[in-house]
Amino acid sequence: MAPRVTRLRPAASCIRFNRISAIRALHTIKMAEAFTNFLAGSPLNRLSWLRTSHSFLNAVVVSPATRWILFNGGQPLIASHLGTTQKRSLALLTTEDVRPLLGAEPFFGQGEQEGQHCASDAPVLQAARVHGPSIVFLGLKETETSGSGNALPSSEFKDPHSAVAKLTGTPYFTADVADLDENKVNEAIENTGLAKDGSTLAFMEPRAAMSSLDAYTAAIFAEARSMVDWNQRNKFCPACGSPVYSLWAGWKLSCTSLLPWADNTDRKPCPSGRGLHNFAHPRTDPVVIMLAIDESGEKVLLGRNKKFPGKFYSALAGFIEPGESFEDAVKREMWEEAGVKVWNIRYHSGQPWPYPANLMVGYYATADSSAPIRTDLDNELEDAQWYTREEILAVLRHSSGTHLSRRDHKKIAEIQDGPDDNPTSAKSQDQSVDVNNNDEPPFRIPAPTAIAGVLIQHWAEGKAKVLLESGSTAKACM
């Protein structure tokens, strides 16, 4: 006699929940895909397959259409335009403007001696730059009518200048001048076309500067700053300690001991010469940033870092650790920073954050607002509190509820970057204008240029309603 099989049937309510949650998950995905954060949504065709072609790069870099973004220790060059509606913008320079800072041609595919072309197509010399500051090719802003006709396959570069002549957009490059002579940099800036036309050019704290950018230039700025920072920070080979040099238009760093003319007498071969190494390519470090919402959907948990400017609160955040998923990190960080257990973790959107090269991954989660808050576990927060929707909306409506002065931006920057030793930068921060303290909000929150501000604002204004409804049903079937 065959054994009797007992089949367990899930509760009807949970079957219904699974169907409903699947539908709501689709709505959640649509919402996340539809929203593009500030600094995201790059308009550039990065033409990554041409980064190894020094013939293409040397042709496009001298194009009259090419524009440059300059940095000095990570601070972007900003143009102030007095007497115009747009008072401040990212300074976009021509190649002729920056040529005194680049060194001798060729700019890519350099040989052992300055001004010499490399004589080999070996992988270690692909668009090599061994003299002068690192240069990064960011990509091409194509015109709306260019379509796919200007995709520039590698096969077109038997005559690179003719191929580049077909471009109908704006190529973008970037460089950091921190290692160059200050007088030489100042002289070059004073002789730029923008300066001669009356604009005032100055390097500025990047977090404060980005508030002046439109969505188009902000996305280019995000790529540019992350790339120059990576090139500036990594000066030596992690495998053997030798200096590194730039390849692939600034998108790869290689050990100088691998150059054909390197003297490696009595030295072991550098381990970076074999296999794939993640330190040779730019890195992006993912960070979860999350807003805990109570079960009623009417309160959110915000925290205040010990080094934040006065009365400033934000969503909690933390780096992904090895062996974690994004959801694991959300749970761990919420517990470590605020002693709060969360569930029903839902993705919202992502934001590239070029300080120095992070990807902020935004989440909502559900928590019990009646449970005690603890900030004594990792002692990172000075305070954490639940705020009602009405309290958040009042701050959002306040004229300075999301405002940070340049001095505030500098204080937040020092949390990650350390003290700013640049005297010019320090002077500019001292001249910043603060908001009138006579009408201060009870607390302040991030502006929507940061994903933390978006998470808070979307919840407060009801734009995250689908996520909250999905969460309340989720716990019922846990």
Side-chain angles (χ1 to χ4, degrees):
M1 183 176 178
R4 182 179 178 181
V5 177
T6 302
R7 295 184 178 180
L8 299 178
R9 298 181 64 186
S13 61
C14 282
I15 293 176
R16 180 175 175 272
F17 161 69
N18 288 336
R19 292 171 181 167
I20 293 174
S21 62
I23 295 171
R24 285 174 175 161
L26 291 176
H27 286 297
T28 301
I29 292 170
K30 288 180 180 179
M31 186 190 79
E33 288 181 346
F35 187 80
T36 301
N37 282 291
F38 191 70
L39 299 173
S42 174
L44 300 186
N45 177 352
R46 298 194 180 189
L47 296 173
S48 58
W49 63 92
L50 292 174
R51 291 172 185 161
T52 60
S53 171
H54 51 254
S55 58
F56 161 73
L57 294 166
N58 284 325
V60 76
V61 73
V62 295
S63 167
T66 292
R67 291 296 177 266
W68 289 76
I69 300 171
L70 287 191
F71 292 84
N72 188 347
Q75 296 190 339
L77 186 65
I78 298 296
S80 299
H81 317 279
L82 299 178
T84 64
T85 55
Q86 187 182 19
K87 294 183 179 180
R88 212 163 54 197
S89 66
L90 200 61
L92 300 178
L93 307 180
T94 66
T95 299
E96 288 306 307
D97 289 334
V98 302
R99 188 182 286 269
L101 306 175
L102 304 181
E105 294 188 57
F107 299 130
F108 299 96
Q110 296 176 338
E112 180 178 7
Q113 304 300 324
E114 188 170 7
Q116 182 182 50
H117 288 265
C118 65
S120 171
D121 290 329
V124 295
L125 293 174
Q126 289 177 330
R129 186 165 170 80
V130 295
H131 308 288
S134 295
I135 294 174
V136 180
F137 173 59
L138 300 174
L140 173 70
K141 174 59 174 70
E142 297 170 306
T143 61
E144 294 182 3
T145 58
S146 61
S148 61
N150 293 313
L152 295 175
S154 304
S155 58
E156 289 191 7
F157 284 88
K158 293 180 180 179
D159 184 353
H161 288 277
S162 297
V164 169
K166 297 178 183 179
L167 296 179
T168 56
T170 305
Y172 282 88
F173 285 80
T174 188
D176 196 300
V177 299
D179 295 334
L180 300 182
D181 179 75
E182 183 178 354
N183 293 327
K184 187 176 183 179
V185 172
N186 291 338
E187 182 181 357
I189 291 174
E190 290 170 2
N191 288 311
T192 61
L194 283 175
K196 291 178 180 179
D197 289 340
S199 296
T200 301
L201 305 182
F203 292 103
M204 184 176 176
E205 199 287 316
R207 292 166 182 81
M210 75 179 190
S211 63
S212 303
L213 307 181
D214 57 35
Y216 162 69
T217 51
I220 300 175
F221 161 82
E223 178 189 355
R225 191 183 189 279
S226 290
M227 288 303 301
V228 296
D229 182 273
W230 178 70
N231 276 272
Q232 280 295 109
R233 285 177 186 264
N234 297 279
K235 301 288 191 181
F236 299 94
C237 175
C240 73
S242 299
V244 296
Y245 66 99
S246 172
L247 287 166
W248 296 8
W251 289 85
K252 183 177 182 180
L253 296 176
S254 183
C255 179
T256 51
S257 71
L258 303 179
L259 288 167
W261 53 82
D263 183 3
N264 293 315
T265 305
D266 298 327
R267 290 187 56 178
K268 293 182 178 180
C270 178
S272 68
R274 299 178 62 185
L276 182 65
H277 304 275
N278 62 356
F279 51 73
H281 303 279
R283 61 179 296 157
T284 295
D285 298 316
V287 175
V288 288
I289 184 161
M290 51 276 175
L291 193 64
I293 305 168
D294 82 332
E295 295 170 275
S296 71
E298 293 302 312
K299 292 181 181 180
V300 290
L301 181 68
L302 301 182
R304 172 175 165 74
N305 188 286
K306 293 180 178 180
K307 297 181 180 180
F308 278 173
K311 298 183 180 181
F312 184 74
Y313 283 75
S314 184
L316 275 57
F319 284 95
I320 304 289
E321 292 190 349
E324 280 189 325
S325 67
F326 291 116
E327 292 81 3
D328 292 338
V330 169
K331 292 178 181 179
R332 176 182 55 77
E333 286 289 343
M334 289 297 299
W335 170 248
E336 290 178 354
E337 293 190 2
V340 172
K341 297 289 187 179
V342 297
W343 63 92
N344 182 40
I345 298 166
R346 292 290 184 271
Y347 173 76
H348 178 276
S349 61
Q351 181 185 38
W353 194 247
Y355 309 109
N358 303 126
L359 175 63
M360 310 301 290
V361 189
Y363 284 92
Y364 289 116
T366 305
D368 181 1
S369 60
S370 66
I373 295 174
R374 296 185 59 181
T375 59
D376 62 338
L377 296 176
D378 66 4
N379 290 297
E380 185 174 325
L381 299 183
E382 179 180 87
D383 185 35
Q385 294 187 37
W386 288 96
Y387 290 98
T388 66
R389 190 183 304 272
E390 290 74 19
E391 289 174 314
I392 297 295
L393 287 172
V395 172
L396 287 171
R397 294 178 186 128
H398 196 284
S399 60
S400 59
T402 61
H403 173 81
L404 290 177
S405 67
R406 293 190 192 181
R407 190 176 293 109
D408 291 336
H409 281 293
K410 181 184 178 185
K411 189 169 184 178
I412 291 176
E414 289 179 349
I415 296 174
Q416 188 167 22
D417 302 338
D420 183 4
D421 298 326
N422 188 330
T424 304
S425 172
K427 183 179 179 181
S428 68
Q429 309 307 328
D430 293 338
Q431 293 175 344
S432 64
V433 179
D434 289 323
V435 175
N436 186 349
N437 292 326
N438 294 329
D439 183 27
E440 280 283 290
F443 59 96
R444 288 181 292 169
I445 57 179
T449 50
I451 191 173
V454 171
L455 292 172
I456 296 169
Q457 184 175 337
H458 277 198
W459 166 79
E461 296 177 351
K463 296 178 181 177
K465 187 176 181 182
V466 171
L467 293 172
L468 299 179
E469 289 177 350
S470 173
S472 61
T473 313
K475 195 186 179 187
C477 286
M478 284 181 62

